[in-house]
Amino acid sequence: MTTALDLISGAASLCGAKDPTEPLTATEGSDLLELLNEMLESWTLDRLFVYQLAKYQYTYPGGQISQTVGLTGDIAIERPVQIEQSYMNTPDNQSYILKVITRTGYDAIGLKTLQTNIPQWIYYDPGFPLGTIYLYPVPGADIELFLNYWLALPSFTSLTDVISLPPGYNRA
């Protein structure tokens, strides 16, 4: 099993920052672990590096303009980096894709409280620590909402953390 220490030691050796026969010092290990986590965090913001889209099904309550997203939010999942796609199912199993719109698109809506049976748009504000989902028009009754969202790359808390990344990521 590969650990964070194995990964950063190999990278430091490959780029010539350390002799491959010498172990990392505690300070070097700590500094390189921080750099590894910063790199993974920056990759999370780029669709090319997102290795998995997660899907979540949620009963979105009727009459609600918005719902918070995050481990302590209304939708208790890891806060998405971005929502890639969303759709809803009606009680008679009809599926409708919701168009993902930008903040500019959502801000242009004049009457944000308009209600209907079938929302058409979804806007996601990825605020921190909780993101917020807005549906428009607002669903008049509970709906089954499906979110396909970017799953963040993991971060590591210690050099002994075992790394389990998809093929190609260890090499990167």
Side-chain angles (χ1 to χ4, degrees), residues 104-125:
T104 304
Y106 187 75
D107 288 347
I109 296 170
L111 181 61
K112 292 180 176 58
T113 58
L114 179 67
Q115 289 192 17
T116 186
N117 292 333
I118 302 172
Q120 296 183 12
W121 297 332
I122 184 170
Y123 163 61
Y124 175 60
D125 178 355

Side-chain angles (χ1 to χ4, degrees), residues 43-55:
W43 283 2
T44 296
L45 301 176
D46 188 334
R47 175 64 178 105
L48 294 175
F49 294 106
V50 173
Y51 69 93
Q52 183 178 358
L53 287 176
K55 179 182 259 184

Side-chain angles (χ1 to χ4, degrees), residues 6-34:
D6 297 331
L7 189 65
I8 62 177
S9 292
S13 296
L14 281 172
C15 74
K18 80 166 206 70
D19 183 332
T21 62
E22 297 288 323
L24 293 173
T25 66
T27 301
E28 290 170 333
S30 176
D31 290 347
L32 290 172
L33 182 65
E34 185 176 336

